Amino acid sequence: MPSKAQQRGISFIGLLFVGAVLAMTGVVAAQAFPTVIEYFAVEKAVQRASTGQSVVEVRALFDKQAEVDTIKSITGKDLEVTKVGDKVVVGFAYEREIHLAGPAYLTLKYAGRSK
């Protein structure tokens, strides 16, 4: 039977520290996850909007899809609409901030463009 000096493992204080770090990570992840879901919705809306033929039409298509998917971070006015050859290319970029504690924020930057 091993003596106390030979025992290995984590102390109670170490266990509390690991638990606190995991809890904080979980809280931040739970707040960041909806922004990632929204990003994928924005990408899908941009792909659909890129079927428009004019800037006004592209923005209107995006805004309609944004209503359906409840996109709050970006609107049709925020899109960068260009033409490459005869194809409409729609780009976007936006930031989301998540309040952590006190003056600390986590800033997530999202950007993309249609194919």
Side-chain angles (χ1 to χ4, degrees):
M1 190 161 189
S3 68
K4 282 192 169 200
Q6 294 176 342
Q7 290 181 355
R8 297 183 186 264
I10 190 168
S11 68
F12 182 68
I13 299 297
L15 183 64
L16 286 177
F17 179 74
V18 169
V21 169
L22 288 175
M24 286 188 284
T25 303
V27 168
V28 171
Q31 290 179 348
F33 185 70
T35 68
V36 174
I37 298 297
E38 184 180 47
Y39 168 74
F40 288 122
V42 169
E43 272 194 333
K44 183 176 80 171
V46 163
Q47 292 303 327
R48 288 195 179 156
S50 67
T51 61
Q53 297 303 314
S54 68
V55 173
V56 174
E57 185 181 359
V58 166
R59 290 182 174 164
L61 287 170
F62 180 85
D63 286 336
K64 285 179 186 177
Q65 189 64 38
E67 276 186 46
V68 172
D69 290 338
T70 319
I71 297 170
K72 305 278 186 199
S73 297
I74 189 171
T75 65
K77 294 180 217 172
D78 302 320
L79 299 176
E80 181 182 312
V81 183
T82 57
K83 274 202 167 191
V84 176
D86 60 343
K87 188 174 179 184
V88 174
V89 177
V90 182
F92 66 93
Y94 65 96
E95 293 182 359
R96 289 288 306 262
E97 286 187 345
I98 298 172
H99 181 254
L100 298 177
Y105 286 84
L106 172 65
T107 302
L108 302 170
K109 295 182 180 186
Y110 295 108
R113 56 185 262 172
S114 63
K115 296 175 184 169

